[in-house]
Amino acid sequence: QPPVACVGETMAALLPDRPGPLDHVETFRHAIGGAEANVARGLAALGVPAAWIGRVGADGFGRRVTAELAASGVDVSAVEVDPRRPTGLYVKETGPGGSVLHYYREGSAGSALSPALLGSPVLRDAPLVHLSGITPALSAGAHALVAGLLRERVPGRLTSFDLNYRPALWPPGADPAATLRPLLDAAGIVLLGADEAEAVLGTSDPAKLRALLPGPDTIVLKDDRHQATALTRLTSETVTEPALRVEVVEPVGAGDAFAAGFLAGTLRGLDPRGRLRLGHLAAAGALVVPGDHGPPPPPDRIAALLAATPA
Ligand code: KDG
């Protein structure tokens, strides 16, 4: 089975050893993070073959990114090494008000993604191509690659797009809504949070979102009450499923894990409720760790939880 292709930038991540302002942090743990690669890891952990396609620098951070993804079972055969540009980096700052990601990625190898990748064999054969709204903010070439992948109609290939709106990445004067809305509308599956839907599309009302985005077969809206709703065209049905209650350690990456679960459920042919449930189960794994990726529950536990009747 060809792997799902997850395309975007993966960075070195520095995780502080304690919460609070960075000026008081003494020690950072070296990890990796990147929304699309987090999805690839999540898929691999759920038994779905997945590839990460992106670019790293010819440096230790880049080698770490590739090695850690490969060790997670992600296919890294299409990763490009840029001899001149460095691997991007982000530093996580945690605290009671939530986490802030500080980016050091301008001019990075990953930001030099371009439509040159469109011919990559891993992309050509992928049953599903997963993208996010982070990549179009990185550079004109990265935007063109995402637009090209969404516009290209390959029979039997699904596309998914997680809005992942990161205001800090958009240069002053940019119009993220004008860039992102056509991309969202061109995808087969769209995932977005209520807050980012408000920020980018001006509404988080499911009916209004559907009117703004008539294109996707499925829109998954995650609201601030930790519920996820799937609006599917085929059944013209709306299904809502609450999240699991867990002790949250750090939420960054949970959206990506949710996407991995939802997409794994889609590829397994689960009904919309099963897809949402698998999304929540995978997200729970990421919520209880300080890094971006935490393993989902083991397969037998997942099977039992999926089969349980809703409370
Ligand atoms: O969704 C989690 C991502 O935000 C994190 O892994 C870093 O890719 C990242 C980004 O651009 O913010």
Side-chain angles (χ1 to χ4, degrees), residues 189-191 210 217-222 227-242 258-281 306 310:
I189 298 173
V190 161
L191 298 125
R210 182 42 109 183
D217 281 331
T218 306
I219 299 177
V220 181
L221 177 67
K222 296 164 282 176
Q227 301 194 116
T229 297
L231 316 165
T232 44
R233 190 203 307 291
L234 287 178
T235 52
S236 63
E237 173 191 19
T238 297
V239 183
T240 297
E241 191 64 18
F258 180 93
F262 188 86
L263 297 175
T266 304
L267 294 172
R268 275 194 208 171
L270 300 185
D271 64 10
R273 186 172 304 284
R275 296 175 195 184
L276 293 175
R277 281 188 165 196
L278 193 48
H280 284 314
L281 286 169
L306 283 178

Side-chain angles (χ1 to χ4, degrees), residues 76-288:
V76 290
S77 59
V79 174
E80 284 182 2
V81 179
D82 189 318
R84 284 178 302 121
R85 300 178 183 85
T87 304
L89 167 74
Y90 80 86
V91 182
K92 201 180 262 190
E93 183 167 14
T94 59
S99 298
V100 181
L101 302 189
H102 300 277
Y103 297 122
Y104 302 85
R105 65 197 296 187
E106 229 179 285
S108 66
S111 67
L113 278 166
S114 81
L117 263 181
L118 282 173
S120 139
V122 179
L123 271 171
R124 201 183 45 226
D125 300 334
L128 171 68
V129 175
H130 178 72
L131 303 159
S132 95
I134 292 171
T135 312
L138 300 180
S139 67
H143 175 204
L145 172 64
V146 171
L149 284 169
L150 290 171
R151 232 178 281 124
E152 205 178 35
R153 297 273 166 228
V154 179
R157 182 210 272 175
L158 265 172
T159 52
S160 75
F161 189 89
D162 192 330
L163 178 52
N164 274 342
Y165 178 49
R166 303 283 182 268
L169 291 179
W170 293 88
D175 186 350
T179 304
L180 291 167
R181 190 173 141 190
L183 299 175
L184 288 162
D185 202 38
I189 298 173
V190 161
L191 298 125
L192 76 182
D195 49 349
E196 53 183 9
E198 289 282 354
V200 174
L201 298 164
T203 181
S204 59
D205 174 78
K208 289 187 183 147
L209 279 177
R210 182 42 109 183
L212 283 171
L213 303 175
D217 281 331
T218 306
I219 299 177
V220 181
L221 177 67
K222 296 164 282 176
D223 71 21
D224 357 331
R225 286 159 305 160
H226 306 290
Q227 301 194 116
T229 297
L231 316 165
T232 44
R233 190 203 307 291
L234 287 178
T235 52
S236 63
E237 173 191 19
T238 297
V239 183
T240 297
E241 191 64 18
L244 282 82
R245 249 171 288 170
V246 293
E247 286 288 332
V248 177
V249 173
E250 206 286 314
V252 173
D256 306 326
F258 180 93
F262 188 86
L263 297 175
T266 304
L267 294 172
R268 275 194 208 171
L270 300 185
D271 64 10
R273 186 172 304 284
R275 296 175 195 184
L276 293 175
R277 281 188 165 196
L278 193 48
H280 284 314
L281 286 169
L287 285 167
V288 297

